[in-house]
Amino acid sequence: MSPQKTTQTMKPATAAKKLGVYLEATPAEFQEGVVSRDELNSLQADPPEWLRELRRTGPHPRPVVAARLGVSISGLARGGVTEALTTEQIEALREENPEWLQRERETQAEVQKEAERIKAAAESRRRS
């Protein structure tokens, strides 16, 4: 007899991270249960209203905030942003464009250029 396959599950925190949402803002039943791989796929393919609303207005986890502001997560921390932000708060920060945000965007751009330079150098070495 072949062993029966068990359903792969994950903690709500892992599922929230994969969905790109802030766990504490999700419904209680999501936070208190476990999420199967099939349920996660279903949530990604056809998000319920609560998930669409969270993605639209937040609060957003720090990786999402950082991406929307064009900075690193470390840059957020250096700028004093340690909590989840709503879309409205992110837009306000963009409009305000404080000095720390300008500096961190410049740093992020330099990091990206350096990564591209290294990738190009590796590509040219591989071709030679």
Side-chain angles (χ1 to χ4, degrees), residues 45-121:
D46 186 23
E49 182 55 35
W50 65 264
L51 181 54
R52 287 195 299 268
E53 184 64 22
L54 264 181
R55 286 177 170 168
R56 189 170 35 253
T57 62
H60 304 288
R62 289 183 309 144
V64 174
V65 173
R68 288 187 177 191
L69 289 174
V71 300
S72 66
I73 295 172
S74 299
L76 280 181
R78 284 189 292 270
V81 178
T82 58
E83 298 297 318
L85 298 179
T86 63
T87 300
E88 192 175 291
Q89 291 169 314
I90 293 169
E91 290 304 318
L93 257 177
R94 278 186 181 154
E95 288 176 21
E96 183 183 319
N97 200 18
E99 188 179 319
W100 72 264
L101 182 56
Q102 295 172 35
R103 199 172 45 249
E104 291 301 334
R105 282 182 168 162
E106 289 170 6
T107 301
Q108 189 71 5
E110 290 171 17
V111 167
Q112 187 63 34
K113 280 193 336 196
E114 180 64 8
E116 289 170 8
R117 185 192 69 75
I118 290 169
K119 182 178 178 183

Side-chain angles (χ1 to χ4, degrees), residues 16-17 20-26 31 54 58-62 83-84:
K17 187 174 184 178
V21 295
Y22 187 57
L23 177 63
E24 286 76 12
T26 61
Q31 292 180 39
L54 264 181
H60 304 288
R62 289 183 309 144
E83 298 297 318

Side-chain angles (χ1 to χ4, degrees), residues 3-25:
Q4 193 161 351
K5 283 187 119 180
T6 58
T7 304
Q8 184 181 18
T9 60
M10 62 192 82
K11 294 177 182 176
T14 304
K17 187 174 184 178
K18 289 180 181 288
L19 292 169
V21 295
Y22 187 57
L23 177 63
E24 286 76 12

